Amino acid sequence: MHESILVYRKHRYLKWALALAVVSALFYMIDSPLGQPNGGTWLGYTLGTISGGLMVWLAWFGVRKRRYGLGNVPLEDWLSAHVYLGIALALIATLHAGFQLGFNIHSALYILMMITIISGLVGLYFYISYPRLLTENRRGLSTEVMLAQIAELDRDLRQIAMTMDDATNAATLKATQDTIIGGSLMQQLRGHDEHCPTTQARLFVEGSDGGPQDAQRRQLLTRLIRKEDLLKRIRRDVQLRCLLKVWLYVHIPFSIAALAALVTHVVTVFYYW
Amino acid sequence: MGDTYKIAIVGSGPGGLSAAAHAAKLGVSHVLLERTDHLSDTIYKYQKGKYVMSTPDVLPLRSDATFSAGKRETILDSWNKTIAELKTNVRYNSEVVAVQKDGDVFNLKIADGAVIQAEAVVLAIGLQGNLNKLRVEGAELPLVQYQLDDPEEYEAETIVVIGAGDAGIENAIALAKQNSVILVNRSSEFARIKQGNLALITNAIEKGDIQCYHSAETAKVEPKAITLQVPDGQARVACDRIIARLGASAPRKFVESCGIKFPNEDRTSLPEVSPTYESNVPGLYIIGALGGYPLIKQAMNQGYEVVEYIIGNRIAPADQPLLEKKFAGLKSVDVEAVLSEIREVIPVWHSLNPLQLREVMLDSTVHVLKNGETVFKRNDYTNSFFTVLRGSVGIQIDPNDSTKVVTLGPGAFFGEMGLISGRRRTATVLAASDCVLFETPRRTMLKLVQSVDSLRRTLDQVAIMRQVQTHLAPGVPAAELKELVETAEIQKFKAGDVIFAQGDKGDHMHLIRSGSCTVSMRVGGRDVVLSYVPSGNYIGEMALLSDAPRSATVKAAHNVETVCIKGDAFKRVLDRNAALKGNVEAKFRQRIKANEQMQKQPEAGSIIEFLIAQGIGEGTDVLLIDESLCVHCDNCEKACAETHGGISRLDREAGPTFATLHVPTSCRHCEHPHCMAECPPNAIHRTPGGEVYIDDSCIGCGNCERNCPYKVIQLAYPPEEKFDLFSWLLMGKGPAPGEAMTYKKNGHDDHGHGHTEKAKRAVKCDMCKGIPGGASCVRACPTGAALRVSPEEFMSVATLSG
């Protein structure tokens, strides 16, 4: 318990996947079929069956994940195996295809599957590197607390700005009203906003001369700087959390498409025997 | 002269009306005298809608009037109906001002001048008729009242509530909803109030709903203000209303004028009565709160019984059939004989009065065991208390050698260590011969320990010896430890208290018997936590052995009880036992090494400090999340909801984080669960595996929710039916996995289905007991970020995450 999926149970599933891959590769090397290696030889059928089985099993993870309280194997075992066997699948399926790629349904399956695997690898990278960044970025505050602090700063800003000149007041009001956190997918992924009204307001106040209201100007400035810092963190938070999820929008649809292509592939192969 | 009756009953509270109803039923001539124009004035004056409890639950009700836990209104209605149906002779507006015995009859003088004669008198006047009043200038002004019937009657007023007992606090909280409330507390803190009320009032004061003056007394009342004597002078508070809840006491003057004697001058003392409730004046009986039995059900039973006694039937108490059933296995149906055998044989029960003993036995389970049968196993998480009536049991003191057995004979008790520490059983206990044991639940024992001093003393003496033998000096015979144990004393510490400080002189050591501590050292001007010490360990031996000042500071992580052992006595024991000395010194060296290790990684100490600050120290099984692995998928919450009918008992995101360790809002299964403290139906239990859970008898009162300092209990409606994954995916049936069903009280759900009204129930983590494989949250975590740890593992978690 309490270890990352990569080292889980002393690399048990890495060993499984390696064994499977090595055995497949060995057979591929010693096998000398008539003509070009392809899916139609005895080894091709065997590797194809293994690949197909693996694909269905890998997709079953989505179902297993939602079967709470059932089965005695912890989900971490499943994910660890899912990751390693998924990577092994890339090799086994390639061997099954005999390194052939064409413009047909079979290659479509191969490409869909590879996109699924690569998106999975991207997801794995995200899962391993981002949690720590996410926690460090938050520095002990939850998203809710950060939002509450921003709301409080906004209240202060509005109050102080009321006593200031019109231009400052307008810039500050814009900062409190038009600052966007999150937004569209691209905005979330960008993690910052180059047209952020808060930054603009800060620049404006920095550049302005408070004159007799210098004390207020300073108060305004400190709050704007604090808000900017919070915004930076919270946008980074949104970005990281978004990244942790966004890869699934590729991984899942392509895995379903690959399953559909798998069915077509198997049916056509046997239909046109 | 007025009428003459067989029985005159004074006071129509639960006891009085039950007596009158029974007399009416039996056709005995009687009169029920009530001061007001309605029955049972005390309950009549309860806050509107107050939920009245019917404790003790095990006691059967024996009365012609009905009573069960419920709303004040329902209870009063049923009593009015009974009194009317049985044609009970009630004389309202009849305050009895004097009771005089004249030969064989009593003359009862009524305030309106009438005199009623009776052969026997039952005083069932309770205490609430004699409320304690303010005794200051202006106390008679109309703004002062001593009762609150309906808190919603008042709006937008400034109300001063005097008296921070349960009644005062309940009033203050109810009034604070639409008034500005000031609470006046005579002492410096809230002592002796129900845990639930303590949580409510602390919360209300923190939120600013109620303003509170501690250590304050009333000095003067004016028509629109009150002056309070506060520690730093006087405070005058303008107010519209003053509600004084100062408790009640026996109307001593009246009772004494009847010829009844009080045992002492104490204001709270009550007259003594015989087993048939007769006072020192023959023919004059006392039942209910005035006789020392303040519970409604007890009073009602006494009302029934006293009428039987008066007409000459020596009926057995109401619990007799239950006890007969309980003792059936003993092949002796005579309850009295068994009870007297218990009193004779078992010294712990010796100091209980007959009624207390009956109550204890009603709560206890009788075990008749054959030679060799297991009572409980080492590491079981049970915490009941056992006494031996006949035969003997053997305690396996060495977990590695089952032949090392200490035998306990009749009269002995065991199981007190689990009761005190709240941790797992330290030894396996088997029947050493055919034997008869009583198993008394933890709750009953705690109540007794609090109220019966001599019982606590007996328990402590034996417990100290056993704790020393188990945790400090295994294998050393009791005779050699005699001096050590006799000079030892039990010390209590609150969270944050310093047990001893670095640099102190070390002339004693502590054996932690309940709670846990942190050991810290000042390094470079700041405190570095070196270790966390759970109960069952000893501390302070280092300074003792090396004759040096204390090398570290030990603080209580939460409420701690230790056995404080005198250094000289301990050294003498060591000198006589070479093996023990070797053990202690080995541990000493191990500690020095561990401390040095810890000083090298101060961040691990900070993590322990953080965990302790979160109250993890009193937990037995805590859910932690390693944020360096957590991908925020909330699968843990979904798994919890799915395995518990749609309601998640954990909130992943909520809760504090330190370094990469996050403490989500989730039950820690405390050693001494706060939630268990005040559960009216006793619905919260601990399984032998340690899980604290709530069973189906929950009435949804919310006490546990308020008592939990970690806010892990919620009240929720029972969930609706769910469909399987594919029905949801393909047909859109029911809510999504992990999603809660929207349940609307007494209305319709989103799909237009009607519901009958259901009550809310308390729900909390039950550690997925009954689900093979253990906690779902941990099993459903795809990345291994969720982990459950027990206190023994804190050190390893801290060093890992550092």
Side-chain angles (χ1 to χ4, degrees), chain A residues 1-5 63 65-66 68-72 74-76 79 127 131-132 134-135 138 140 143 241 244-245, chain B residues 626-632 635 638-639 642-643 653 659 725 771-773 778-784 787 800:
Chain A
M1 289 314 224
H2 189 221
E3 40 190 14
S4 128
I5 46 169
V63 176
K65 187 184 146 203
R66 291 170 179 81
Y68 308 101
L70 290 172
N72 278 322
L75 195 61
E76 194 177 3
L79 184 59
Y127 266 31
R132 189 173 277 277
L134 197 62
T135 310
R138 284 185 180 183
T143 317
R241 283 202 296 172
L244 279 174
K245 289 211 177 85
Chain B
D626 183 343
E627 293 248 289
S628 66
L629 296 177
C630 176
V631 295
H632 300 232
N635 216 36
K638 286 176 197 158
E642 278 300 296
T643 42
E653 182 99 34
L725 177 64
I771 299 174
V778 174
R779 279 196 300 146
C781 178
T783 60
L787 60 152
L800 256 180

Side-chain angles (χ1 to χ4, degrees), chain B residues 66-283:
Chain B
T66 56
F67 172 62
S68 57
K71 277 192 174 166
R72 158 196 174 273
E73 286 75 9
T74 324
I75 291 165
L76 287 175
D77 283 351
S78 86
W79 286 346
N80 281 325
K81 223 170 102 193
T82 310
I83 291 297
E85 272 171 7
L86 291 172
K87 301 204 168 49
T88 313
N89 180 23
V90 191
R91 196 177 191 273
Y92 289 110
N93 303 314
S94 308
E95 183 175 6
V96 176
V97 290
V99 178
Q100 271 147 7
K101 193 162 188 189
D102 185 11
D104 279 345
V105 287
F106 289 91
N107 292 318
L108 291 89
K109 222 185 263 173
I110 311 294
D112 61 12
V115 173
I116 287 171
Q117 287 195 321
E119 288 170 36
V121 174
V122 177
L123 271 189
I125 53 180
L127 303 176
Q128 296 296 318
N130 189 43
L131 292 171
N132 297 337
K133 301 272 165 78
L134 279 178
R135 274 174 278 183
V136 294
E137 186 192 333
E140 68 297 334
L141 287 169
L143 80 162
V144 181
Q145 64 188 60
Y146 295 95
Q147 227 120 27
L148 174 67
D149 302 343
D150 183 2
E152 293 181 7
E153 226 176 274
Y154 310 115
E155 245 181 290
E157 290 189 8
T158 302
I159 303 176
V160 175
V161 177
I162 304 173
D166 283 313
I169 284 171
E170 278 167 24
N171 287 173
I173 285 162
L175 286 168
K177 280 185 196 147
Q178 42 191 29
N179 300 282
S180 143
V181 177
I182 296 148
L183 182 67
V184 179
N185 181 11
R186 202 169 47 160
S187 49
S188 59
E189 55 185 277
F190 297 109
R192 292 194 186 200
I193 59 169
K194 291 188 206 148
Q195 279 297 318
N197 280 338
L198 181 62
L200 280 176
I201 189 71
T202 325
N203 190 11
I205 292 172
E206 263 173 31
K207 280 192 353 209
D209 292 349
I210 293 175
Q211 196 192 337
C212 181
Y213 285 99
H214 288 289
S215 310
E217 301 248 13
T218 317
K220 199 169 88 177
V221 178
E222 295 163 61
K224 273 281 180 193
I226 181 168
T227 306
L228 300 172
Q229 186 71 45
V230 289
D232 42 0
Q234 287 204 329
R236 187 171 177 277
V237 181
C239 61
D240 304 308
R241 191 175 301 280
I242 295 169
I243 297 177
R245 303 306 305 256
L246 308 169
S249 51
R252 191 153 178 159
K253 224 193 247 166
F254 169 74
V255 177
E256 278 179 336
S257 75
C258 305
I260 295 168
K261 290 195 185 88
F262 281 74
N264 58 51
E265 287 304 308
D266 191 14
R267 219 168 82 144
T268 56
S269 90
L270 297 170
E272 279 169 11
V273 294
S274 75
T276 57
Y277 312 122
E278 199 164 4
S279 71
N280 60 306
V281 181

